[in-house]
Amino acid sequence: MTKFLPEGYNPQANISLATLNDALEKCKILEAKAVMCSGEHDLTVELGNGITGIIPREEGAIGIAEGQVRDIALISRVNKPVCFTVTDIVQRNGKTTAMLSRREAQLICMKEHISQLVCGDIIPARVTHLESFGAFCDIGCGIIALMPIDAISVSRISHPRDRFYPADDIYAVVRSIDDKGRISLSHRELLGT
């Protein structure tokens, strides 16, 4: 089983200062729930033990700082688990604040997991949202891949909601990888197995 799972597979509550220091030192990926998005689109993460976690807007996802990803990708993470690395631990007004990066966790996932995938690999995925043309799925650390409607079922369906709901945990087959590294998924091959 891969260590790079979709967000929500391994949320942790009450992350200790020792765990944060270990994650900072070893560049480990942790996961906890985002509880608020500020007016500047910084995410606050609930770490427990009196420790606040902050993911600055630019560290919220690959492509945010470059304008390739819209801020709704951050806003929509409120009340949902997010993966992150720890970039710093600071004291502010007598309180411990962990500075976090979801973008860095995604870059590590891309390098160590996503870039290693080949067509035919079966991977865990979590359905994030549905459109008439297909299902978007988290394939690790919040990295999204599309499962086109024609790849969802062996029988004809009118909408992806005929088979999936948001937050469904599924397995998917890597259908194709384009020259930009974008992955297309399929579920058809897994039906009846």
Side-chain angles (χ1 to χ4, degrees):
M1 177 72 72
T2 177
K3 70 176 185 172
F4 298 102
L5 295 169
E7 289 178 321
Y9 268 64
N10 192 29
Q12 296 134 342
N14 297 317
I15 297 173
S16 69
L17 185 55
T19 300
L20 291 171
N21 278 312
D22 184 57
L24 174 62
E25 181 182 317
K26 298 176 181 169
C27 202
K28 287 184 179 177
I29 296 173
L30 301 175
E31 182 176 346
K33 187 166 105 175
V35 293
M36 184 176 78
C37 186
S38 72
E40 294 79 29
H41 297 143
D42 298 338
L43 289 172
T44 300
V45 179
E46 187 175 277
L47 300 175
N49 295 310
I51 305 168
T52 300
I54 303 292
I55 301 176
R57 177 188 174 275
E58 295 77 23
E59 296 299 318
I62 293 173
I64 287 283
E66 298 82 10
Q68 299 165 338
V69 174
R70 297 182 314 169
D71 285 344
I72 190 66
L74 302 176
I75 297 165
S76 67
R77 296 312 306 162
V78 173
N79 288 321
K80 295 178 183 161
V82 291
C83 293
F84 54 84
T85 59
V86 180
T87 59
D88 199 7
I89 300 171
V90 297
Q91 295 293 320
R92 292 183 180 168
N93 302 322
K95 294 187 177 189
T96 304
T97 301
M99 301 307 295
L100 312 173
S101 175
R102 184 170 177 246
R103 182 185 68 80
E104 183 65 29
Q106 290 177 338
L107 288 171
I108 293 168
C109 181
M110 290 288 288
K111 179 182 176 189
E112 296 181 19
H113 173 58
I114 305 295
S115 68
Q116 308 299 315
L117 295 175
V118 295
C119 293
D121 282 349
I122 298 172
I123 59 173
R126 174 168 282 186
V127 177
T128 59
H129 64 282
L130 305 171
E131 296 290 342
S132 60
F133 53 86
F136 289 92
C137 300
D138 178 344
I139 58 172
C141 294
I143 297 169
I144 303 301
L146 175 65
M147 183 180 298
I149 192 168
D150 68 338
I152 291 174
S153 177
V154 292
S155 59
R156 186 174 175 90
I157 59 174
S158 62
H159 194 280
R161 71 175 160 257
D162 294 344
R163 295 291 183 269
F164 298 134
Y165 294 98
D168 278 352
D169 291 323
I170 62 171
Y171 281 93
V173 176
V174 175
R175 182 182 192 190
S176 66
I177 304 169
D178 72 12
D179 57 352
K180 294 182 181 177
R182 292 179 297 214
I183 294 176
S184 177
L185 302 173
S186 178
H187 196 253
R188 293 174 57 121
E189 293 81 358
L190 299 176
L191 301 173
T193 58

